[in-house]
């Protein structure tokens, strides 16, 4: 899977998704924008330049088996293998997805590796999940979501549910991570399914 992290607030959504993917043995191709790096530092105290992700996860959540591997790619490297449709990956998620990135994806602009990899994901008819985190939304942003959805992206706004009775910010973020995992076809147990009602 490709995971792009951009500068919209919501770094916790990204790290909880990465944690779950690695624990499920999924190899991750990680691309973080400049503002995404700043966001990870500001909101999670995670500096990827000085601390490996696995080490940070161990410190934050305790050591556990994470058979998946992370390969990080430079944000502006349009020569990366991720820029080519001849490379194989099962899907891509941008979490959180800034409005600037959404605009680039919706217009096919592809000015950086996240936008280009998203463009390739769409053209190769693979699953692309965008997790926008912005409120309120203006008409331009709503139209960009519609354009991206019409092109084949799945829009998963960072709107957690409460039926699972979350007790922490991590459990709120796990709801979004679980919804993304389900859309990517990755099994999870991050939250229980909505119970069937008895008649």
């Amino acid at each position: 899977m490709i995971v792009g992290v951009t500068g919209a607030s919501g770094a916790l959504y990204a790290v909880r998704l990465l944690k779950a993917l690695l624990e499920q043995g999924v190899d991750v191709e990680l691309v973080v924008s400049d503002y995404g790096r700043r966001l990870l530092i500001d909101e999670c105290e995670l500096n990827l330049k000085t601390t490996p992700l696995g080490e940070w996860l161990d410190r934050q959540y305790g050591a556990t088996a994470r058979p998946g591997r992370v390969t990080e790619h430079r944000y502006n490297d349009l020569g990366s293998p991720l820029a080519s449709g001849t490379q194989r990956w099962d899907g891509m998620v941008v979490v959180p997805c800034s409005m600037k990135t959404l605009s680039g994806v919706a217009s096919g602009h592809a000015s950086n590796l996240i936008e280009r990899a998203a463009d390739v994901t769409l053209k190769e008819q693979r699953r692309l999940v965008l997790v926008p985190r912005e409120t309120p939304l203006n008409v331009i942003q709503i139209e960009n979501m519609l354009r991206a959805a019409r092109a084949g992206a799945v829009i998963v706004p960072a709107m957690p549910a409460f039926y699972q009775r979350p007790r922490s910010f991590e459990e709120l973020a796990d709801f979004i991570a679980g919804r993304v995992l389900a859309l990517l076809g990755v099994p999870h147990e991050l939250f229980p399914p909505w119970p069937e009602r008895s008649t």
Side-chain angles (χ1 to χ4, degrees):
M1 297 291 176
I2 300 174
V3 176
V5 180
T6 63
S9 182
L12 187 60
Y13 294 118
V15 296
R16 295 301 286 188
L17 177 68
L18 288 166
K19 177 180 181 291
L21 285 168
L22 295 174
E23 288 174 353
Q24 289 296 323
V26 176
D27 292 337
V28 173
E29 308 294 331
L30 180 63
V31 188
V32 184
S33 74
D34 294 339
Y35 285 109
R37 287 183 184 282
R38 179 175 171 180
L39 181 74
L40 288 168
I41 293 169
D42 290 349
E43 294 185 0
C44 296
E45 298 181 357
L46 168 57
N47 186 336
L48 289 171
K49 289 184 178 178
T50 60
T51 306
L53 177 63
E55 182 181 312
W56 183 89
L57 289 170
D58 285 347
R59 225 174 31 232
Q60 200 73 16
Y61 303 113
T64 186
R66 294 187 202 95
R69 294 177 297 115
V70 177
T71 303
E72 192 170 350
H73 300 262
R74 289 183 295 119
Y75 174 62
N76 290 314
D77 183 10
L78 291 177
S80 163
L82 303 184
S84 171
T86 61
Q87 298 296 314
R88 292 298 308 169
W89 58 85
D90 292 327
M92 177 176 179
V93 57
V94 183
V95 55
C97 181
S98 69
M99 293 299 106
K100 179 181 182 298
T101 301
L102 172 68
S103 175
V105 172
S107 66
H109 193 56
S111 65
N112 57 62
L113 186 55
I114 292 176
E115 292 173 1
R116 174 59 186 165
D119 193 51
V120 170
T121 301
L122 289 174
K123 83 179 184 70
E124 298 295 327
Q125 298 183 356
R126 300 173 192 157
R127 181 57 59 102
L128 173 64
V129 179
L130 304 177
V131 184
R133 209 284 339 137
E134 183 68 77
T135 192
L137 296 166
N138 65 41
V139 173
I140 295 168
Q141 294 162 342
I142 294 168
E143 288 178 346
N144 281 337
M145 287 185 208
L146 179 60
R147 289 173 68 196
R150 284 180 171 157
V154 178
I155 310 298
V156 180
M159 300 160 66
F162 293 88
Y163 70 83
Q164 76 279 23
R165 297 185 181 179
R167 293 166 296 188
S168 66
F169 288 123
E170 283 77 10
E171 288 184 1
L172 281 171
D174 281 350
F175 179 82
I176 298 300
R179 296 294 290 141
V180 170
L181 290 171
L183 288 165
L184 294 173
V186 178
H188 73 87
E189 295 180 359
L190 294 178
F191 60 88
W194 176 256
E196 292 184 13
R197 295 182 181 209
S198 58
T199 55

